[in-house]
Amino acid sequence: MRGSFLEYAYSVIYSRALPDARDGLKPVQRRILYQMAEMGLRPDRGHVKSARVVGEVMGRLHPHGDSAIYDALVRMAQPFSLRLPLIDGHGNFGSLDDGPAAMRYTECRLAPAAETVTTSLNEDVVDYVANYDGRELEPVVLPASVPLLLVNGAAGIAVGMATNMPPHNLGEVCAAAKLLLRKPRSSLDDLMELVPGPDLPNGGQIIGLEGIKDAYATGKGAFRMRAATRIEQVSTRLKGIVITALPYGVGPERVIEKIKDLVVSKKLDGIRDLTDLTDGEHGLHLVIEVKNGFSPEAVRDKLFRLTPLEESFNINNVALVNGQPKTLGLIDMLRVFLDHRVEVVTRRSEFRRRKALDRLHLVEGLLIATLNIDEVVAVIRSSDDAVVAKQRLMEVFDLSELQATHILDMPLRRLTKYSRLELESEKDTLDRTIAELTEILENPKVLQKLVISELDAAAAAHATPRRTVLIDGDVTITVPDSLEVPDRPCRVVLTAQGLLARTDDAQALPGTESETGSTAIAGSVDTTTRGTVAVVTSTGRAHRVDVLELPMTSSGHSVAGAPVSEYCSLDRGEKPVGVMAVSAMPVESSEGTSETERPTAEVLAIGTAQGVVKRLSSDVPAGKDIWEIISLKAGDRVVCAANSRDDDHLVFITSDAQLLHFKADAVRPQGRSAGGMAGIRVAASAEVVFFGAVRPDSSNVVATVAGSLSQLAGVGASTIKVTAFTEFPAKGRGTGGVRCHRLAKGEDALLLAWAGQSPVRAETAAGKPITLDTELKARDGSGDKIKTTIAAIGGSH
């Protein structure tokens, strides 16, 4: 039994499970590629049935089952298994989750990259041995011109040992091989500058490089593979985790099934839905929708810890060297390959020189015959038979037996003058070829240069950019106790274009850090991430909105919001005009702060097109998502709703260029059903175009845009004027205002207006910022013409 087991173990190690360090192939892979090359299944030929290839390999070279041969063939055709596929498959060759179709359905041929492995087989570059039944010959190793052991890696389980090697980038490995060939004493650090780590076929990330360096030094190590993910706004209300690459060997169905099990068993919270949008054109695309109230980053980190989105890879570089299994580091693997490649190029050069010398010998004999054609003919005619003719030619012209035989076999057409010129030209070419091959064989530097040039050619033809991102650092993932978004202060913003968003900071708004090129803000309110706000519309209604559902935008950038219609059921013609808090942001108390030092409570102020003003008391109906906040007269509408304090000034601007402002405490708060009180006296042909609350500040300005009401939208130029707010005197509530813009010829109304803290923001209908002249004008002066049509105007605060 001991003898039988040792024979079996040796057979598994040497003939089945472990790759050869020279060509990086297991015996079954080598036999498949060799047989396909013998069958002429080159990349420029048509595909043939995989069953035909499997049958030829099994019958001639591989004495094992057809399933093992077909499995190896399929793996060499899968781009997600090998970094450099060697077989071009046609048909269903499987996926990471499903097996391939039967071999009677699929077709195959050699891939272009296989030419780097099978070329020059007919030039005595490798040794051949008898096959399993002694009737055929097969190569011991293939003359690979690239380090396939590193490029494609290997995996196999033998008796008492196993191998597990990750794939690498072809261009990086060839560069390292060239460096080691030029500078044999290069250190591991020198080589790792060119080969920093594995390059997995499906991309993804590798976290932590210390284990990789250990494997390159000793042949054993480990690293963590992590899926490539990003956090996106997958819908107007939801954020999600988008997965574009998985760890090596992990399929999407396995990930989806694991996530479903975790959600069903309630071990994972925060996931609303999971959609697989993978296709052949765009590749892997898994979208995991995260519930509102949960942090996508925290959910992602927990997915890394609990699912195959993060996997470990244990490196064990065991390969055959001179028939013995050895554990190899990076330098060892490259040296074994380079020694093999140098031997292949040397044997090929010797073969080609030997062939060239044999041909030169024949050409020299033919030249002698053509120069002495009459004597040669006379000798042949006077001879009794071919044997005597050959002997006499050898004696008369001092020819070898091979030359004399070749002359006797020469056809009459070679006796022309042109044939003589061809022979002389061929002789010169052969002389040069022999000299070049001799130089390669006798000069190690020339041989080295040739090997390097062939590495460069292979890399240029088949190398692709790196797919895997290497991240050096700690691989430990710390998942918080709760995946839910904490209830922190934030600010909800309504833009002049009707978009809603929330900031990640209650102290800053988008656009406050630059003077130009930011979003025009129509209104904002301080709240918390788990709070509730209400959008006020032109019909005098308030629509409840959860803050968590709003897209988040960062301070100092343009607002990436969503339309109000995504959160509110608006009637036809109903437009958002402001935003109010439903659940107020708590004010943190600090030692030494009295109640009088805390901010004054804000009250929602409402202004209508007919000049009505109202300040709303803080009663919010419970359990309602939509409620009335003002009783409007027939034909009236809400122009704007703004949060105000008692010391603020409420500002009305009408279409006939009248401005009125008065203290907010002049308007007593009223209940939801009240209709408000007189704010400004409006002419019969005019209406209010702006209403807002302005806090006392020396930087307050008034911006007015004048034009013609008869012009089509977006046609013709308008004028704009910016004036200091202090230029306008305060007057009593319910009175007429003062002129704020002198209408020029062709202008009959104010189209847009705004008052608030500088700077002013203006936008086109497409949301593109418009740069405005910041020079302040006189109170009753006319505006400056602007060619770009202004669609919205607002502030940055």
Side-chain angles (χ1 to χ4, degrees):
M1 186 178 70
R2 175 168 30 177
S4 298
F5 183 81
L6 288 176
E7 288 182 7
Y8 163 73
Y10 174 79
S11 174
V12 172
I13 292 171
Y14 184 75
S15 301
R16 297 183 70 174
L18 299 184
D20 193 295
R22 294 170 291 180
D23 61 4
L25 299 172
K26 298 180 183 180
V28 63
Q29 297 171 323
R30 186 180 304 113
R31 288 163 177 164
I32 291 171
L33 295 175
Y34 171 68
Q35 185 58 43
M36 291 181 72
E38 288 290 292
M39 295 169 66
L41 303 180
R42 295 190 297 270
D44 56 347
R45 301 287 182 87
H47 294 82
V48 301
K49 287 288 185 182
S50 300
R52 178 181 170 190
V53 175
V54 171
E56 290 287 332
V57 173
M58 183 171 60
R60 296 187 58 200
L61 305 173
H62 199 65
H64 301 285
D66 56 352
S67 61
I69 300 173
Y70 185 53
D71 288 345
L73 186 151
V74 166
R75 179 177 170 79
M76 287 193 289
Q78 292 174 333
F80 53 83
S81 295
L82 300 187
R83 189 63 177 82
L84 186 69
L86 301 175
I87 291 178
D88 177 15
H90 184 251
N92 178 15
F93 274 77
S95 66
L96 286 165
D97 296 303
D98 296 316
M103 57 184 168
R104 62 182 178 274
Y105 298 120
T106 62
E107 297 177 340
C108 64
R109 65 183 177 189
L110 291 176
E115 295 180 348
T116 64
V117 187
T118 58
T119 53
S120 304
L121 275 171
N122 58 346
E123 294 184 300
D124 192 30
V125 291
V126 293
D127 294 331
Y128 282 74
V129 295
N131 70 338
Y132 65 94
D133 61 2
R135 298 180 182 180
E136 304 275 352
L137 292 177
E138 62 174 313
V140 176
V141 67
L142 292 182
S145 60
V146 294
L148 278 182
L149 185 63
L150 278 165
V151 173
N152 280 334
I157 300 175
V159 179
M161 61 187 64
T163 184
N164 198 30
M165 305 184 192
H168 289 75
N169 184 273
L170 174 61
E172 295 174 356
V173 171
C174 287
K178 292 189 297 181
L179 176 63
L180 191 61
L181 189 59
R182 290 194 186 102
K183 300 178 180 179
R185 295 185 179 180
S186 297
S187 65
L188 180 61
D189 291 335
D190 295 334
L191 295 178
M192 286 193 67
E193 290 182 3
L194 301 173
V195 185
D199 187 21
L200 308 177
N202 51 338
Q205 299 175 347
I206 289 178
I207 311 296
L209 305 184
E210 284 299 320
I212 295 173
K213 188 170 184 179
D214 293 341
Y216 286 167
T218 65
K220 292 181 179 291
F223 61 85
R224 303 286 295 178
M225 303 177 293
R226 185 176 291 177
T229 63
R230 62 177 183 265
I231 307 298
E232 285 187 0
Q233 195 77 32
V234 296
S235 69
T236 54
R237 298 191 179 193
L238 296 174
K239 281 196 172 184
I241 305 165
V242 178
I243 303 171
T244 56
L246 293 173
Y248 182 47
V250 176
E253 289 186 11
R254 177 182 163 194
V255 173
I256 293 171
E257 189 65 29
K258 182 62 176 179
I259 293 175
K260 286 181 178 179
D261 291 343
L262 291 172
V263 172
V264 170
S265 61
K266 297 185 178 180
K267 295 180 181 178
L268 181 63
D269 296 326
I271 293 180
R272 181 179 180 272
D273 194 13
L274 193 158
T275 308
D276 186 1
L277 301 178
T278 303
D279 58 34
E281 182 179 354
H282 301 95
L284 180 72
H285 196 86
L286 297 179
V287 179
I288 301 174
E289 293 184 6
V290 179
K291 294 178 181 178
N292 284 320
F294 288 82
S295 168
E297 292 78 8
V299 174
R300 179 182 60 185
D301 290 344
K302 196 163 186 178
L303 286 172
F304 284 149
R305 195 181 68 178
L306 298 179
T307 70
L309 290 180
E310 183 171 302
E311 292 271 274
S312 62
F313 191 103
N314 296 315
I315 303 175
N316 189 25
N317 295 333
V318 178
L320 297 175
V321 180
N322 297 325
Q324 296 182 355
K326 291 187 176 181
T327 303
L328 306 173
L330 177 63
I331 296 178
D332 298 328
M333 287 187 282
L334 289 174
R335 280 179 176 160
V336 171
F337 163 75
L338 289 173
D339 291 343
H340 170 61
R341 190 60 193 165
V342 168
E343 180 185 357
V344 167
V345 174
T346 301
R347 292 181 61 166
R348 185 186 65 194
S349 300
E350 290 175 345
F351 177 84
R352 291 177 178 177
R353 185 175 67 169
R354 188 164 59 250
K355 294 284 288 186
L357 287 170
D358 292 343
R359 178 60 185 170
L360 179 62
H361 184 63
L362 296 178
V363 169
E364 289 174 344
L366 291 174
L367 281 172
I368 293 174
T370 55
L371 291 173
N372 302 278
I373 189 63
D374 294 334
E375 291 84 347
V376 169
V377 172
V379 169
I380 295 173
R381 292 186 64 183
S382 61
S383 300
D384 294 334
D385 52 30
V387 176
V388 175
K390 180 173 69 174
Q391 189 64 32
R392 293 183 62 190
L393 286 173
M394 293 169 59
E395 294 173 355
V396 172
F397 299 104
D398 194 19
L399 300 174
S400 67
E401 182 178 358
L402 188 63
Q403 287 174 321
T405 302
H406 194 67
I407 290 171
L408 288 173
D409 294 337
M410 180 177 62
L412 292 176
R413 65 174 179 271
R414 300 302 301 272
L415 302 179
T416 63
K417 186 185 296 185
Y418 180 71
S419 296
R420 176 185 169 185
L421 296 175
E422 281 185 331
L423 290 171
E424 291 176 347
S425 175
E426 184 180 359
K427 181 179 181 301
D428 294 338
T429 302
L430 288 170
D431 286 335
R432 289 194 300 270
T433 301
I434 292 169
E436 292 172 358
L437 292 171
T438 301
E439 181 71 11
I440 292 172
L441 293 171
E442 295 180 354
N443 191 335
K445 290 185 177 180
V446 177
L447 176 63
Q448 180 187 103
K449 186 177 180 180
L450 178 59
V451 173
I452 290 175
S453 66
E454 292 180 353
L455 282 170
D456 287 334
H462 307 293
T464 55
R466 168 172 279 275
R467 300 174 186 170
T468 303
V469 178
L470 303 176
I471 301 176
D472 194 8
D474 188 9
V475 301
T476 304
I477 296 177
T478 303
V479 180
D481 295 335
S482 175
L483 303 182
E484 297 185 3
V485 176
D487 195 19
R488 295 175 179 172
C490 69
R491 182 171 290 179
V492 173
V493 178
L494 175 66
T495 72
Q497 299 276 25
L499 302 179
L500 274 177
R502 62 182 170 95
T503 69
D504 54 358
D505 184 0
Q507 305 303 319
L509 276 177
T512 61
E513 298 179 5
S514 61
E515 291 299 317
T516 59
S518 295
T519 306
I521 304 299
S524 65
V525 63
D526 291 338
T527 180
T528 63
T529 51
R530 293 189 168 274
T532 306
V533 297
V535 175
V536 180
T537 66
S538 57
T539 61
R541 300 194 300 172
H543 298 252
R544 190 188 301 268
V545 176
D546 292 331
V547 177
L548 269 174
E549 294 187 2
L550 302 179
M552 189 173 68
T553 186
S554 299
S555 300
H557 297 80
S558 296
V559 175
V564 172
S565 58
E566 295 288 339
Y567 307 96
C568 308
S569 300
L570 301 180
D571 294 337
R572 186 172 182 179
E574 187 177 11
K575 297 181 180 180
V577 295
V579 60
M580 60 179 284
V582 174
S583 57
M585 184 182 74
V587 180
E588 296 183 1
S589 62
S590 58
E591 294 183 7
T593 302
S594 64
E595 290 292 332
T596 57
E597 293 175 332
R598 296 184 183 180
T600 305
E602 292 186 341
V603 177
L604 185 71
I606 305 167
T608 73
Q610 295 180 3
V612 176
V613 64
K614 177 181 178 180
R615 295 184 76 198
L616 182 67
S617 60
S618 60
D619 57 330
V620 175
K624 285 189 176 182
D625 291 332
I626 303 174
W627 64 94
E628 299 284 341
I629 60 173
I630 185 174
S631 296
L632 293 174
K633 295 180 181 178
D636 201 3
R637 59 182 173 82
V638 176
V639 173
C640 182
N643 296 301
S644 65
R645 298 174 182 172
D646 288 346
D647 58 346
D648 290 346
H649 279 247
L650 302 181
V651 183
F652 281 93
I653 302 176
T654 63
S655 59
D656 58 350
Q658 298 297 310
L659 183 149
L660 172 68
H661 68 93
F662 49 85
K663 289 286 291 294
D665 58 6
V667 182
R668 71 178 187 278
Q670 296 176 311
R672 298 193 308 272
S673 60
M677 57 188 69
I680 184 174
R681 189 169 61 245
V682 183
S685 60
E687 65 176 7
V688 175
V689 294
F690 171 79
F691 170 79
V694 176
R695 294 179 182 174
D697 195 303
S698 59
S699 64
N700 288 335
V701 295
V702 175
T704 51
V705 179
S708 174
L709 293 174
S710 61
Q711 286 182 340
L712 294 175
V715 178
S718 302
T719 63
I720 185 169
K721 181 173 71 73
V722 180
T723 308
F725 185 73
T726 55
E727 293 286 323
F728 300 92
K731 297 180 68 176
R733 179 182 61 81
T735 63
V738 297
R739 188 166 68 174
C740 60
H741 193 118
R742 181 164 55 86
L743 300 178
K745 184 179 180 180
E747 298 175 343
D748 53 23
L750 289 185
L751 305 179
L752 297 169
W754 177 84
Q757 189 175 348
S758 179
V760 184
R761 308 294 186 194
E763 297 176 353
T764 65
K768 184 178 180 181
I770 300 174
T771 303
L772 300 177
D773 186 1
T774 58
E775 182 181 356
L776 299 179
K777 304 293 183 180
R779 183 184 72 184
D780 58 349
S782 58
D784 296 326
K785 283 195 173 184
I786 183 169
K787 294 181 179 180
T788 307
T789 302
I790 299 176
I793 191 169
S796 61
H797 298 267

